[in-house]
Amino acid sequence: MADRPLTLMAVHAHPDDEATGTGGVLARYAAEGIRTVLVTCTDGACGDGPGGVKPGEDGHDPQAVAALRREELEASCRVLGVDHLELLGYGDSGMMGWPANDAPGSFWNTPVADGAARLAELIQHYRPDVVVTYDENGFYGHPDHIQAHRITMAALDLAPGLAPKVYWTTAPHSAMKRFGEVMREFGADWDVPASESAEPDGEGGEAAGAGSAVEAPELPPIGLPDEEVTTWVDTHAYGGQKYDALAAHASQGENIFFLRMGKERFTELMGTETFLRVRDTTGAPLPEQDLFAGLR
């Protein structure tokens, strides 16, 4: 490793996902001199258009939305200090059950092997020490998140011997409970326990819209019992950057609940990022407080 920097690669589905679950670690590790690579799989075209117009409504131009969201993503990366942004450019699939799921070129409609081959090339190029993506449920059942998980794990199998540590984003049930309390404090509807089905705002910017007339399938449980979370990373010092990165996605502000809190409350609630370690060759003991434990 002496001839290359330690490297973190985060694989996300849409513009704005990078800030929600990993904005803190991207900012923290960039500040510590670790090379950060963000892979964004879709163009975000199923997000809101100007004025909050939803997909399928008059005035929603998917190409214009995708172009704007790319600009916002680039701005978010500047805030977080991301060194390299890689865009796979697949079509945004929308929420589960939307017609966009089956559209030609949509990420959900793309063979896993095809996406995995492209991502494997990036893994071979950057040789990340740590790779972060979603769990098999895509954290909360979003098809593009699930697909990002699938291609990431398949890509890692195509690049054996690389990425000594692999993580899935998660949330401890205690944090989900606190999050629900804060959501209700701010007037949002959050009546579902963390251990049951739930869908938080701010994940992909697609909480409403073209799929609202389609009955979505029951969503999987979110998060893990606290004792099953392997990795707790303190990112409070980077809470302002994480908030500003989310705010850079201004076109999706209606769906990003966290922006209603203000920086101080946001940092208090979102200042620890948590993960499940699923692959490791370092032998670093668990639980851990550093994604790079055992690597430096």
Side-chain angles (χ1 to χ4, degrees):
M1 289 189 292
D3 61 342
R4 62 181 178 85
L6 284 171
T7 300
L8 166 65
M9 175 181 283
V11 182
H12 282 290
H14 313 96
D16 79 21
D17 290 332
E18 80 289 339
T20 306
T22 58
V25 292
L26 286 169
R28 170 179 165 169
Y29 291 122
E32 293 179 4
I34 288 172
R35 181 173 62 168
T36 52
V37 180
L38 171 64
V39 180
T40 301
C41 297
T42 80
D43 59 9
C46 287
D48 287 357
V53 63
K54 307 298 181 185
E57 295 180 348
D58 290 343
H60 188 278
D61 180 344
Q63 289 185 328
V65 170
L68 176 57
R69 297 196 72 183
R70 175 169 179 166
E71 293 177 2
E72 293 174 338
L73 177 60
E74 291 170 347
S76 172
C77 287
R78 289 193 293 271
V79 170
L80 297 173
V82 171
D83 293 303
H84 301 279
L85 171 62
E86 296 285 353
L87 304 172
L88 297 188
Y90 291 109
D92 191 337
S93 309
M95 300 299 289
M96 192 69 81
W98 286 20
N101 293 176
D102 300 318
S106 76
F107 192 33
W108 185 242
N109 201 31
T110 296
V112 170
D114 293 355
R118 294 182 61 196
L119 182 58
E121 290 182 1
L122 294 175
I123 291 173
Q124 290 162 348
H125 174 72
Y126 288 108
R127 303 180 67 83
D129 302 280
V130 173
V131 172
V132 176
T133 192
Y134 314 100
D135 63 18
E136 64 268 30
N137 294 322
F139 186 69
Y140 72 101
H142 193 296
D144 286 331
H145 291 220
I146 294 170
Q147 191 75 332
H149 162 85
R150 290 174 176 171
I151 74 160
T152 301
M153 303 311 293
L156 289 164
D157 289 340
L158 294 174
L162 301 181
K165 302 185 83 175
V166 179
Y167 295 88
W168 298 342
T169 57
T170 192
H173 285 172
S174 61
M176 294 298 293
K177 180 180 179 181
R178 289 196 302 274
F179 178 61
E181 292 168 352
V182 172
M183 285 191 73
R184 289 189 291 273
E185 177 185 333
F186 281 84
D189 182 16
W190 184 270
D191 294 326
V192 183
S195 59
E196 299 179 9
S197 298
E199 180 182 321
D201 287 352
E203 285 284 333
E206 299 163 11
S212 57
V214 178
E215 184 176 349
E218 184 177 350
L219 297 173
I222 293 179
L224 293 171
D226 288 31
E227 63 272 15
E228 295 181 19
V229 175
T230 64
T231 310
W232 307 66
V233 183
D234 182 358
T235 61
H236 284 82
Y238 306 94
Q241 282 176 261
K242 181 172 177 174
Y243 182 93
D244 288 343
L246 269 176
H249 297 280
S251 68
Q252 309 306 306
E254 178 183 328
N255 290 325
I256 301 178
F257 164 80
F258 307 109
L259 296 177
R260 307 174 203 174
M261 302 179 186
K263 282 187 182 181
E264 183 175 351
R265 196 67 184 277
F266 173 84
T267 299
E268 175 188 338
L269 185 66
M270 304 290 288
T272 300
E273 293 183 352
T274 48
F275 306 87
L276 178 66
R277 194 174 83 189
V278 294
R279 295 189 184 183
D280 173 66
T281 62
T282 69
L286 295 176
E288 60 187 1
Q289 290 76 47
D290 180 7
L291 297 178
F292 288 84
L295 291 167
R296 56 178 178 171

